Structures are given as structure tokens and as C-alpha cells.
Amino acid sequence: MGTVTLGVSIAVPEPYGSLLQERRASFGDPAAYGIPTHVTLLPPTEVEAADLPAVERHLAGIATGGRPFPMRLSGTGTFRPLSPVVYVQVVEGAAACAWLQKRVRDASGPLVRELQFPYHPHVTVAHGIAEEAMDRAYQELSDYEASWTCASFALYEQGADAVWRKINEFAFGAGDGAPAVPAQGGSSVDEPSLHP
């Protein structure tokens, strides 16, 4: 059956998600349309395809115990020179993201892994591109602001074409009526590509 590459993240809802995706593309980042705008909870992780049902049960259990929380993005930051990334900062909701990502990678579940760097919730807007373009991303989005109520997170799989596709969404709580984060660009789970 082989392996699959999975990621878990919080989608940045519309209209913010598409706007940041377009801005990422405008800075010359070739990955912009293959990656929905998100806050990572689990970085790309290879697992056995046969373990997918266990992964989904694990994530559903985490979501059931969670509650919607406020998320706010404000301004930019960078991991340079350690890592070639410019991002929009998570200024509210970071503690909840940290709690979630720890649960996702918990030793009792199927997604145990060490992180390359300490966890720092953020929204990438430029990665691995020319320094001048990274500087432009940092400056042009320095006054960026967005806020919403985070009511879910999602499991994504990276295809052979390097495009990340949502395979399941996990809403917090026991159906308390809070709206789920809408699919980016109005796309459905079954849509084959995130590229417009």
C-alpha cells in the first residue's frame, strides 16, 4: 500500500486565505498555489497509507475535546537567517495552536515525531525565494491584519504533483453550532487542485 505524506493545519478562511495566497505568488514563491494558506499543526510527515484510519480517529478525538477560539494575524516576522521564511504573525490564538500541535504529535497517537525547530505558529508568505523578494514580502505585509474564530482544523495529503489537498476536516466540540473554517477559494474537498 505504501506511504503517504500528511500535514495537519488550520486553514486561514476567506477572504484572507486567497488574498495571502495571491500575495505569496506575487512575491515569486512557486509553492504558493500548491499550499493552502494555513497555520501548521503538523509539518509534512510520512506515514503508512494503512495507518490513515487511525490518524483520522486520533484527530477526531482531539477535535472533540477542543473548542473554537479567536485567531488574529498581525504584521510580519521572519526565521532568517536560520530558515528562509517570511511569515505573518499569529498574535492571538498561538497558545491554542501550540496545545493542538502537541496533542497531534502526542506519543499515544500515530503521528509521533520530533520537530526540526521549536513550534512557532505562523502563516508563511514567502519561502526559499530571492532575498529581495523576501524583503518585499516582509515590508509589504508589515501592516497586515486579519481575525476570525477558528472552529476546526484539517488533515491534508501531498500529491505526487506537490499540491496539498484537504482529505478531512475536524470541527471542534460536539456540534455546538460554531461555523467551520470555510474551504479556501470555495473549493470542495474533492477538487483536484488549489490552483485557480
Side-chain angles (χ1 to χ4, degrees), residues 17-192:
S18 289
L19 183 143
L20 288 176
Q21 192 174 50
E22 292 295 330
R23 295 307 306 272
R24 184 171 179 172
S26 77
F27 301 132
D29 191 329
Y33 291 119
I35 304 172
T37 308
H38 69 283
V39 176
T40 299
L41 298 177
L42 177 77
T45 302
E46 198 171 289
V47 302
E48 294 294 326
D51 291 339
L52 198 51
V55 166
E56 295 194 89
R57 282 193 302 274
H58 172 64
L59 297 176
I62 293 168
T64 299
R67 293 291 174 266
F69 59 91
M71 287 280 286
R72 187 163 69 87
L73 308 179
S74 180
T76 50
T78 184
F79 294 131
R80 295 183 294 174
L82 194 60
S83 181
V85 172
V86 171
Y87 58 86
V88 172
Q89 300 184 77
V90 175
V91 296
E92 187 175 2
C97 291
W99 180 86
L100 282 169
Q101 66 87 28
K102 207 169 187 174
R103 296 286 312 275
V104 168
R105 296 184 302 105
D106 190 82
S108 67
L111 295 172
V112 180
R113 65 161 290 168
E114 292 297 318
L115 298 180
Q116 187 178 358
F117 301 106
Y119 183 72
H120 181 85
H122 63 281
V123 177
T124 299
V125 290
H127 180 220
I129 57 176
E131 285 297 320
E132 302 75 28
M134 301 275 271
D135 292 341
R136 194 161 65 87
Y138 186 86
Q139 291 158 3
E140 289 183 15
L141 292 171
S142 63
D143 59 354
Y144 184 80
E145 296 276 340
S147 59
W148 71 95
T149 297
C150 176
S152 65
F153 61 88
L155 175 65
Y156 292 81
E157 180 179 347
Q158 187 177 38
D161 56 2
V163 173
W164 288 90
R165 294 176 179 86
K166 182 167 64 173
I167 57 176
N168 205 339
E169 187 167 354
F170 303 91
F172 294 127
D176 58 5
V181 176
Q184 189 155 327
S187 64
S188 72
V189 175
D190 301 322
E191 201 161 84

